[in-house]
Amino acid sequence: MVIDAKTAAGALALLSEPEPEIQEYALQSLNDLVDQFWAEVSEEVTKIETLYESSSLSPSSRSLAALIASKVYYNLQEYDDALAFALGAGDLFEVERKTGRSPEYIETIISKCIDTYIAERTALPDPDDENSDPKSIASIDARLQGIIEGIFRADIDDGEYKQALGVALESSRFDVIQRVLSRSPDADLLSYVLSALTEHTVSNPHVHFREKVLRYLLGLFPSLPTPDYFSTTRILLLLNDAALASSFLKDLSESKLEEKQLVALQMAFDLVDSGTQEFLDLVKSQIPGPSEEGAHDAFAKLRRILTGEESVALYLEFLKQNNHVDMLILKNTKDALEARSSVYHSALSFANAYMHTGTTSDTFLRDNLEWLGRATNWSKFTATAALGLLHKGNLGRSLQLLGPYLPPDNGPSQSAYSEGGALFALGLIHANRGEAVLGYLKNILSSAGRDEVVQHGAALGIGVSGMASGNEDVYEELKAILFSDSAVAGEACGYAMGLVMLGTGQRKAFDEMLQYAHETQHEKIIRGMAMGMAFLYYGKQGTADEVIDLLIKEKDPILRYGGVYTIALAYAGTSDNNAVRRVLHLAVSDTSDDVRRAAVTSLAFLLFKNPTQVPRVVQLLSESYNPHVRYGATLALGISCAGTGLQDAVELLEPMTKDPVDFVRQGAMISLAMILVQRTAAHSPAVTSTRALYAKVIADKHEDPMARFGATLAQGLIDAGGRNVTISLQSRAGGANMSAIVGMALFTQFWYWYPLAHCASLAFSPTAIIGVTGDLKVPKFELVSQGKPSLFAYPAPTKPPTKETVEKVATAVLSTTAKAKARAKTKEQEKGAADGDAMDMPVVPEQKEADGVKPDGETPSHPKKREPTSEKLPNMSRVVPAQLPHIVFPPEGRFFPIRPVTGTLRPPPRKAAKARAPSATAGAFVNSAQYAGGGGIVVLLDKRPGEPVEYIEPEPVAEAAAAPASGMDLDVPPQPIEMEGEEAALPTPFEYPFGEDT
């Protein structure tokens, strides 16, 4: 019997025949026709399903019926039913896949199959958890399991290892990961697995499974033909296992090979770059000390590095030596802003502090003492706290520098505001390195009779310096001050309690803070508590879901605000779909503008590892009718895309600088500065226009104060750290930079409390390559930047305004007067011609070629000097993120980095090929180079150890000299800044005569 190929009606009719043989023939015919005539077949799909369940047909015929039904449901886009029948088809589906028939159908069903398998595996208890039920793990459909196993086999046989690893990571199949990596222990595959786990491209991996894979990778990276110790350091940080980290460091230090000893030093520097105080203290405690048996010089160096002071001192010296602040920008801003306004005074204090962060330069303050003396009350607090940014990292001299402003041990207080600001400044100097000052700040806080402003500064200082220290004694002291119910001191204590216990997820602390937030009547305290609770659950992901639900359901919008930031910090950098979906829902549905603004801002913390996605996510939100949502969109773009120069983000923000609402313009200008920091006009053309916009807004006295405030802060951010730092929430190891994330979360609170704007400095990351030898000294040598110098140069300094020559305006002349003058002139010329006189004739000055102009007016044709395609940079130079891919250590040079720097050839035995210079658009990529292990402090291998070495010596501290009246000289015992004027007194009470109004 022959079936008509123009229709499936004949084959469908045969399905009604009673004989099984005829039905089987019809099914075979339909399998050939269903792709073309699925619409006709769909009308009889019920009959096909009946045949699938019929016991009269052979198993192969029933499988064929299932396959046909699956194809029909696929064309009807009922993919769940299509998968169910494909599983019923058994081996026939596998045959279909191998023969390559219906490729689109096969691809769709396999994708659905993988998604279903991953979803079912993720929903099961953690297979590596001792408390999980083994019976529940085996509850996945055996047919589905069989198809997945076939996919794994095919991928491994075909060499599609990454595809197999991706599915295995998503579905928590450790056995498949082992099978693939044992078969091909390739560095590229190991990096792929590590990247999938660290960049959180794997959705919801089980905690124990993730740790198991990381520990497995930890054994593979050092055993590669070229051991990858940088990735090993990343794993140690992710595992947060101090015993394991110290064991690695000790083993490498005890090696007889010099290179391995240097690797230990490099790993210590990298651990300090991303580790918490608590983790580093634990690692250091397990390294043998000087008095312990078996201790040697290598261990002493490790302990010295792990204190963090070595890294801080190197970066401090870099910022001091490479300070390129344009003082004319600050002068013009000061002249344009009214010093009597506390808002403008604080804005300029912030801008100066940002620009000079870590440079130890107080030139602007010493040159403008009259302006500084106008600070009163909280402006004085802000101005004094700014000293903490100027001297950030100057750990050894912090108490000496701030001594004149700190509370006296005995005697009356000079000014509570300057004392409180000085305590906050002390915390900022020791940010995330506060072991040396925590005791002092705690004593100040607990001293009886302290002013609440002093307590406020001490609490903020404790929070910033004792971040993630987990110090229970300090926490209890803060709680005692909190319970005094002082609004000013209590708010700071709320922030500080969360910062000290950052990331601990302590439920007891959370319950105490939530209970007090319910009891107190002070809005400021509730706000501090809300953020403090968010800090508790930093990085906790799923563990925080319970408290997030609790806070989001609160009636008080301030506590819901805290719930939004709990989502942001718990899932920071994960790009978690559920977290993103949740904050987007709150951004459009909550009744509070504050909550909606915070929800949109939170997208920055969730998505900062995928900055290119953020403009697409917030595009519609940036056009919202609600200005608070638009403001949140500006900060979301600025924080997540900071330092990238991302053009999509710039294009969204530029129109928002003209928004009708002042604070939206403020947010847009601040965010543009974050995105364009350390970008040149060659990479981001918007840099020039953005800088001009800031100057224009600040100079315009009719502009709204909030917009001028934002433009002033933006000027400081775009030139932060003497133009030698970038802003980033990622560490060089590719993970989340805890200090930067917390700093930016605190910075966003300047909406309510200006002094917290200083915390933006916690996200500043110096962009330098600092090479150190095994003796931890900085040698003099040169490296090569294979790009035109103009592509990565510092911005040109601002030119002072030139005096404009006043041009005379031509006098209007009547036509009759002109005619009369012309006749008179003609007569005089005729008369003069007779006497040979040349009066009133224009004299043309002689042109000389010596002036650089030819007599005919043409300019000389000097050949334009061609810009070199590369430049040599000395050690301890600025290297911006976009420049890193073009950095090369010359093979013939004496020093070579023990850890790869992006663009460096390794190993360097042969002559490097001439690299093509980057174009003007080089560096348009997003954050790819900065986190590939390049930049930062690099330990150097000396290839000629016998030769003498010349070192870069730190700038000497000058001998004590006569101090200027300001007391701001850094190199002599400082005296307090004399801030003229007393704090403003409260007005006398009075009653307004309302009844007498006319």
Side-chain angles (χ1 to χ4, degrees):
M1 184 181 295
V2 179
I3 301 295
D4 186 3
K6 295 181 180 179
T7 178
L12 291 172
L14 293 178
L15 292 176
S16 303
E17 295 294 326
E19 290 83 1
E21 293 80 4
I22 297 177
Q23 292 174 338
E24 289 177 5
Y25 174 77
L27 289 171
Q28 291 172 2
S29 302
L30 284 174
N31 190 37
D32 296 329
L33 298 171
V34 67
D35 291 335
Q36 184 177 1
F37 302 107
W38 62 268
E40 288 184 63
V41 180
S42 66
E43 296 177 3
E44 301 291 341
V45 70
T46 307
K47 193 175 292 184
I48 296 171
E49 290 180 28
T50 305
L51 292 175
Y52 164 61
E53 297 170 354
S54 172
S55 58
S56 61
L57 293 179
S58 63
S60 60
S61 298
R62 292 170 60 189
S63 297
L64 186 58
L67 183 63
I68 295 168
S70 175
K71 290 181 178 179
V72 171
Y73 281 118
Y74 157 73
N75 285 289
L76 292 171
Q77 297 186 5
E78 298 288 344
Y79 299 124
D80 289 331
D81 291 333
L83 175 60
F85 282 106
L87 294 176
D91 294 338
L92 276 183
F93 179 77
E94 188 68 18
V95 172
E96 190 88 3
R97 187 171 75 87
K98 289 180 178 178
T99 56
R101 293 179 59 183
S102 309
E104 291 183 5
Y105 160 74
I106 294 296
E107 185 178 340
T108 304
I109 295 301
I110 286 178
S111 298
K112 183 66 180 176
C113 196
I114 292 172
D115 291 343
T116 304
Y117 181 73
I118 291 170
E120 292 187 11
R121 288 279 300 182
T122 306
L124 293 174
D126 192 340
D128 295 295
D129 189 354
E130 297 175 357
N131 300 321
S132 62
D133 183 7
K135 292 182 180 178
S136 63
I137 298 172
S139 62
I140 294 179
D141 191 329
R143 299 173 300 174
L144 178 63
Q145 186 82 32
I147 291 178
I148 294 295
E149 293 297 338
I151 292 170
F152 282 138
R153 282 195 301 271
D155 286 342
I156 294 173
D157 292 341
D158 296 343
E160 298 287 345
Y161 297 128
K162 288 186 178 180
Q163 189 167 311
L165 286 171
V167 178
L169 285 166
E170 293 272 10
S171 57
S172 302
R173 288 291 302 273
F174 183 69
D175 59 319
V176 176
I177 295 172
Q178 277 185 310
R179 198 192 321 166
V180 173
L181 295 181
S182 61
R183 184 165 178 169
S184 177
D186 181 60
D188 185 44
L189 288 180
L190 295 180
S191 298
Y192 172 78
V193 176
L194 179 59
S195 177
L197 291 171
T198 56
E199 303 296 332
H200 300 282
T201 52
V202 177
S203 59
N204 300 322
H206 293 300
V207 175
H208 294 87
F209 167 76
R210 183 169 179 266
E211 183 177 333
K212 191 174 181 179
V213 175
L214 288 173
R215 290 185 182 276
Y216 179 65
L217 293 176
L218 193 61
L220 296 178
F221 275 111
S223 60
L224 289 170
T226 303
D228 187 350
Y229 290 107
F230 178 66
S231 296
T232 303
T233 308
R234 293 176 65 186
I235 296 173
L236 290 172
L237 286 166
L238 290 166
L239 290 173
N240 202 29
D241 190 333
L244 195 58
S246 60
S247 174
F248 256 92
L249 292 175
K250 285 189 287 187
D251 290 345
L252 290 167
S253 297
E254 290 171 345
S255 172
K256 294 181 180 179
L257 295 174
E258 181 193 5
E259 191 163 348
K260 287 198 173 183
Q261 295 176 9
L262 297 177
V263 166
L265 300 180
Q266 184 65 67
M267 287 181 71
F269 276 119
D270 292 341
L271 287 174
V272 169
D273 188 54
S274 304
T276 64
Q277 286 191 62
E278 186 180 18
F279 174 74
L280 294 174
D281 289 342
L282 287 172
V283 175
K284 186 179 67 174
S285 67
Q286 297 178 43
I287 302 292
S291 60
E292 297 180 43
E293 186 178 349
H296 53 78
D297 184 51
F299 289 158
K301 291 178 189 174
L302 285 178
R303 292 176 63 85
R304 183 173 148 196
I305 294 170
L306 289 170
T307 60
E309 294 179 7
E310 195 69 28
S311 298
V312 171
L314 288 169
Y315 284 130
L316 180 68
E317 192 63 32
F318 160 72
L319 292 173
K320 285 167 62 178
Q321 293 189 13
N322 293 274
N323 182 11
H324 279 73
V325 171
D326 191 339
M327 298 299 293
L328 191 57
I329 293 177
L330 281 172
K331 179 183 180 300
N332 292 340
T333 301
K334 181 187 78 70
D335 293 342
L337 298 177
E338 298 82 9
R340 291 173 296 177
S341 167
S342 63
V343 172
Y344 294 148
H345 198 288
S346 295
L348 190 53
S349 294
F350 290 133
N352 174 55
Y354 292 154
M355 286 189 186
H356 288 98
T357 295
T359 63
T360 70
S361 171
D362 60 355
T363 306
F364 178 77
L365 298 178
R366 284 191 275 113
D367 292 347
N368 296 280
L369 291 175
E370 182 184 354
W371 165 82
L372 191 62
R374 295 184 182 180
T376 58
N377 299 335
W378 288 106
S379 293
K380 185 181 289 188
F381 180 97
T382 298
T384 313
L387 293 173
L389 270 67
L390 269 57
H391 302 290
K392 186 172 182 282
N394 203 346
L395 307 182
R397 303 186 62 212
S398 58
L399 289 171
Q400 178 189 353
L401 290 164
L402 296 174
Y405 321 109
L406 292 170
D409 295 332
N410 299 304
S413 170
Q414 298 297 321
S415 168
Y417 291 99
S418 61
E419 289 174 6
L423 293 169
F424 186 22
L426 187 63
L428 289 166
I429 290 175
H430 291 261
N432 206 19
R433 299 282 182 268
E435 187 177 338
V437 296
L438 270 180
Y440 172 78
L441 290 170
K442 179 188 168 192
N443 291 336
I444 294 290
L445 185 69
S446 58
S447 298
R450 288 290 182 192
D451 188 282
E452 63 178 1
V453 177
V454 176
Q455 290 180 330
H456 181 91
L460 288 179
I462 285 174
V464 173
S465 61
M467 191 187 304
S469 61
N471 192 315
E472 290 282 355
D473 293 339
V474 172
Y475 173 81
E476 291 298 327
E477 192 62 49
L478 289 165
K479 188 169 70 172
I481 301 298
L482 172 71
F483 289 166
S484 67
D485 208 40
S486 162
V488 173
E491 180 188 24
C493 287
Y495 290 121
M497 287 164 70
L499 288 170
V500 169
M501 307 304 287
L502 180 71
T504 60
Q506 263 198 26
R507 187 56 190 259
K508 178 190 171 189
F510 174 83
D511 291 339
E512 289 174 347
M513 295 169 79
L514 183 61
Q515 181 181 354
Y516 193 75
H518 285 147
E519 292 173 359
T520 186
Q521 299 298 312
H522 294 293
E523 199 173 281
K524 290 172 73 68
I525 293 180
I526 298 173
R527 195 172 305 287
M529 291 286 100
M531 287 303 297
M533 288 184 282
F535 291 138
L536 282 176
Y537 286 89
Y538 169 82
K540 288 300 180 183
Q541 298 189 38
T543 311
D545 286 344
E546 184 181 349
V547 300
I548 290 170
D549 292 337
L550 204 62
L551 290 171
I552 292 298
K553 293 175 183 175
E554 287 282 346
K555 291 183 179 178
D556 190 337
I558 301 177
L559 291 177
R560 295 203 304 276
Y561 179 94
V564 169
Y565 270 96
T566 307
I567 297 173
L569 295 174
Y571 290 93
T574 64
S575 303
D576 185 85
N577 288 333
N578 291 329
V580 172
R581 191 179 301 115
R582 197 163 192 179
V583 297
L584 284 174
H585 175 70
L586 289 167
V588 297
S589 65
D590 200 276
T591 55
S592 167
D593 284 337
D594 286 354
V595 176
R596 297 178 72 174
R597 184 181 67 251
V600 183
T601 305
S602 295
L603 290 168
F605 297 96
L606 297 173
L607 299 172
F608 67 80
K609 287 190 178 180
N610 298 298
T612 52
Q613 293 185 10
V614 180
R616 180 173 56 84
V617 173
V618 304
Q619 183 173 6
L620 291 176
L621 295 171
S622 67
E623 300 169 2
S624 169
Y625 73 93
N626 189 322
H628 292 266
V629 173
R630 298 201 299 275
Y631 177 87
T634 64
L635 286 189
L637 289 165
I639 296 172
S640 61
C641 304
T644 65
L646 190 64
Q647 189 60 29
D648 290 344
V650 172
E651 289 173 359
L652 278 180
L653 286 169
E654 283 180 332
M656 299 179 81
T657 60
K658 302 180 181 70
D659 195 275
V661 180
D662 55 357
F663 60 78
V664 177
R665 299 199 297 277
Q666 177 195 90
M669 286 186 280
I670 290 173
S671 296
L672 276 172
M674 291 182 182
I675 293 171
L676 297 174
V677 63
Q678 288 207 331
R679 308 296 295 186
T680 62
H683 292 151
S684 302
V687 170
T688 306
S689 60
T690 300
R691 288 180 179 274
L693 173 68
Y694 297 155
K696 176 177 175 293
V697 170
I698 291 169
D700 185 358
K701 296 186 182 298
H702 302 289
E703 182 62 82
D704 290 307
M706 286 298 94
R708 298 178 80 188
F709 180 90
T712 308
L713 258 64
Q715 274 191 337
L717 289 170
I718 201 169
D719 287 338
R723 295 177 169 173
N724 292 304
V725 302
T726 189
I727 301 172
S728 176
L729 303 192
Q730 287 194 72
S731 67
R732 288 186 177 84
N737 186 339
M738 179 196 71
S739 179
I741 292 169
V742 171
M744 271 300 159
L746 285 169
F747 170 75
T748 59
Q749 307 309 306
F750 85 86
W751 177 277
Y752 307 101
W753 194 231
Y754 280 165
L756 292 177
H758 283 308
C759 294
S761 63
L762 300 179
F764 293 171
S765 175
T767 51
I769 289 183
I770 304 175
V772 298
T773 63
D775 296 328
L776 304 184
K777 294 181 179 179
V778 185
K780 289 185 178 179
F781 72 96
E782 291 182 331
L783 44 90
V784 178
S785 172
Q786 294 181 326
K788 291 182 179 180
S790 62
L791 292 179
F792 311 111
Y794 287 101
T798 306
K799 294 181 180 178
T802 56
K803 292 184 179 180
E804 296 181 1
T805 56
V806 179
E807 295 182 2
K808 293 183 178 181
V809 180
T811 307
V813 181
L814 296 175
S815 59
T816 53
T817 306
K819 290 177 181 177
K821 285 185 176 182
R823 284 194 296 270
K825 187 174 182 181
T826 303
K827 289 180 181 179
E828 287 196 17
Q829 286 178 350
E830 291 174 351
K831 182 181 177 183
D835 299 332
D837 194 358
M839 290 178 59
D840 294 332
M841 293 298 291
V843 179
V844 180
E846 184 181 356
Q847 292 180 330
K848 299 181 180 179
E849 292 192 26
D851 296 330
V853 182
K854 293 183 178 181
D856 59 359
E858 296 180 5
T859 57
S861 56
H862 292 300
K864 188 177 180 182
K865 190 175 180 180
R866 190 173 181 182
E867 186 179 9
T869 57
S870 64
E871 64 175 326
K872 290 184 177 181
L873 301 174
N875 190 15
M876 203 175 268
S877 290
R878 181 184 88 149
V879 178
V880 298
Q883 190 177 4
L884 272 172
H886 313 295
I887 293 297
V888 172
F889 280 72
E892 66 277 5
R894 176 174 179 176
F895 296 101
F896 207 79
I898 205 72
R899 158 165 69 72
V901 175
T902 309
T904 302
L905 303 175
R906 179 130 182 126
R910 55 194 176 87
K911 188 175 181 181
K914 184 178 180 182
R916 191 171 65 181
S919 65
T921 57
F925 48 82
V926 176
N927 273 17
S928 59
Q930 184 179 1
Y931 311 108
I937 299 171
V938 183
V939 179
L940 302 171
L941 177 66
D942 189 351
K943 294 189 288 187
R944 299 194 290 272
E947 299 180 9
V949 183
E950 190 177 357
Y951 295 104
I952 298 174
E953 298 297 334
E955 291 183 357
V957 177
E959 295 296 327
S966 67
M968 292 300 295
D969 196 314
L970 300 177
D971 300 322
V972 297
Q975 303 297 323
I977 304 173
E978 295 295 337
M979 295 189 179
E980 299 172 7
E982 298 295 326
E983 282 81 1
L986 292 173
T988 56
F990 67 96
E991 292 185 6
Y992 185 80
F994 291 101
E996 299 178 10
D997 287 346
T998 56

